[in-house]
Amino acid sequence: MLMALFSTGAASLLRLRYILPLALFVIITMEYLRRFGLSYLILWLSVGVRSTSATENSPGLPIVINTWGGSFTAATDAAYLSLLKPETSALDAVEIGCSTCEANQCDGSVGYGGSPDENCETTLDAMIMDGTTMKSGAVAALRRIKDAISIARAVLEHTTHTLLAGDFATDFALQNGFIAQNLTTGASALSCAQWHAANCQPNYRINVSPDPGCSCGPYKPVALNSSDESSYAQELRPRDRGPPEGHDTISMIALHASGTMAAGTSTNGASRKIPGRVGDGPITGSGSYVDGEVGGCGATGDGDIMMRFLPCYQAVENLRQGMTPEEAAEDAVRRMLRKYPEVQSGIVVVNNKGEHGGAGSGWTFTYSYRGGAMNETAVVSVPPIDNGAVRPRERLSPKSVGF
């Protein structure tokens, strides 16, 4: 008798376990219908579905995520594997990852021997940021030193400054034990010689004489009529002589198992740049940005345009306002497209849970990530924003993707 009662009671409790939540859902639904109508109910349900799906792409912690696939995945792997060691910090991982690309000369757009300027010299830009203290260190137009990301970290840790530039950044590096080296290689010297032989085409000069479309200069500025914006608009139009080549970057975010975050960027800038040019890579909030309370961002593309919008700062603030990583990236890209429809850009965003997304314009952008218990780096292909819409992302094998 007692056993029968117990069995009946247990069955009733089990039924209540499922019936009570269903009853609560029905009551809430009816209340929404009574107060707000069917349209608000649909909106409420869709937000709930979106919030659930937005958590599905975090592989767990720790996680490393960075711009580009192909050769850049070696940096992802190096940074991720370093985080499996308890003594490695998020800052360490970012330095290790970016240093890997510097040593490997990832795609020729990071490290020595790539993107020579008009004078055939390679100079480097780098930045690293601590997501806890919000302190960053950076070097720009760095000459004759290979270890750009490590010198940026030295600026962060051994000065109260944020950015050092040019020969003075080189002096600082030497004071901190780094070695001066020639960053020119046989390949970069040949590339520059061929560019000069082709009348320095393409290049970044506008509003100068002689015509930069068919001459190497030396150039003199052409007087502009301040009421006539047509000459300034040359920058906004694709030039007949083609876009200058090379404006790519590794920008990396590391999320430690403890929840601490860091971000960093390293690049040799735009190929054929005017000597002294600094891109968006070493600019805090443009090339990368991180706030451990919210998330981090990395960017690549037309740095001279992108730095005018601080897209990574914007993307992280978008996270703070409740956007998903993908939404945050898309919003940052759209802000640039409204002013510069031809801009090439790529933005990767990760929140403090490891959820990630990206957006780009003007090209098919890729980003790499590895986290949790993943056995290899994954690469995500991000089609450009087109006609006001973004096509679905495609996850690719790391061996099948360049950039």
Side-chain angles (χ1 to χ4, degrees), residues 67-68 72 106-110 114-115 125 202 204 239 242-250 265-273 277 279-281 299-306 342-346 361-363 365 403:
T67 53
W68 301 119
F72 291 75
C106 283
D107 194 64
S109 62
V110 181
S115 302
D125 296 340
Y204 288 91
R239 288 175 283 182
E245 61 186 86
H247 43 66
D248 299 312
T249 300
I250 182 168
T265 301
S266 184
T267 181
N268 52 34
S271 189
R272 327 303 180 194
K273 59 183 176 257
R277 180 262 189 184
D280 69 323
T300 183
D302 290 330
D304 293 288
I305 293 175
M306 295 177 72
E342 304 297 326
V343 66
Q344 288 183 309
S345 68
S361 61
W363 54 15
F365 169 58
F403 77 86

Side-chain angles (χ1 to χ4, degrees), residues 10 18 21 51 58 67 70 89 123-124 169 173 177 180 188 198 225 262 296 320 352 374 380 396:
Y18 294 102
S51 298
S58 173
T67 53
S89 68
T123 57
L124 307 179
S188 67
N225 183 342
R320 198 186 308 277
N352 60 6
M374 291 173 63
V380 178
L396 304 172

Side-chain angles (χ1 to χ4, degrees), residues 340-370:
Y340 296 93
E342 304 297 326
V343 66
Q344 288 183 309
S345 68
I347 307 287
V348 59
V349 180
V350 60
N351 66 19
N352 60 6
K353 299 175 184 177
E355 299 157 5
H356 54 87
S361 61
W363 54 15
T364 296
F365 169 58
T366 63
Y367 69 86
S368 307
Y369 73 94
R370 187 172 176 184

Side-chain angles (χ1 to χ4, degrees), residues 184-202:
T184 299
T185 63
S188 67
L190 176 62
S191 170
C192 192
Q194 292 171 338
W195 179 73
H196 277 282
N199 296 320
C200 302
Q201 301 304 304

Side-chain angles (χ1 to χ4, degrees), residues 259-344:
T260 60
M261 299 186 74
T265 301
S266 184
T267 181
N268 52 34
S271 189
R272 327 303 180 194
K273 59 183 176 257
I274 298 168
R277 180 262 189 184
V278 174
D280 69 323
I283 307 303
T284 305
S286 190
S288 56
Y289 192 75
V290 62
D291 181 344
E293 295 180 356
V294 184
C297 167
T300 183
D302 290 330
D304 293 288
I305 293 175
M306 295 177 72
M307 72 170 73
R308 302 168 191 175
F309 295 85
L310 295 179
C312 273
Y313 174 81
Q314 181 63 57
V316 172
E317 287 306 298
N318 288 344
L319 289 178
R320 198 186 308 277
Q321 298 305 315
M323 291 188 189
T324 67
E326 185 174 312
E327 290 168 341
E330 289 179 7
D331 176 76
V333 169
R334 291 184 191 281
R335 288 169 184 264
M336 294 185 287
L337 285 174
R338 283 197 288 269
K339 295 288 187 179
Y340 296 93
E342 304 297 326
V343 66
Q344 288 183 309

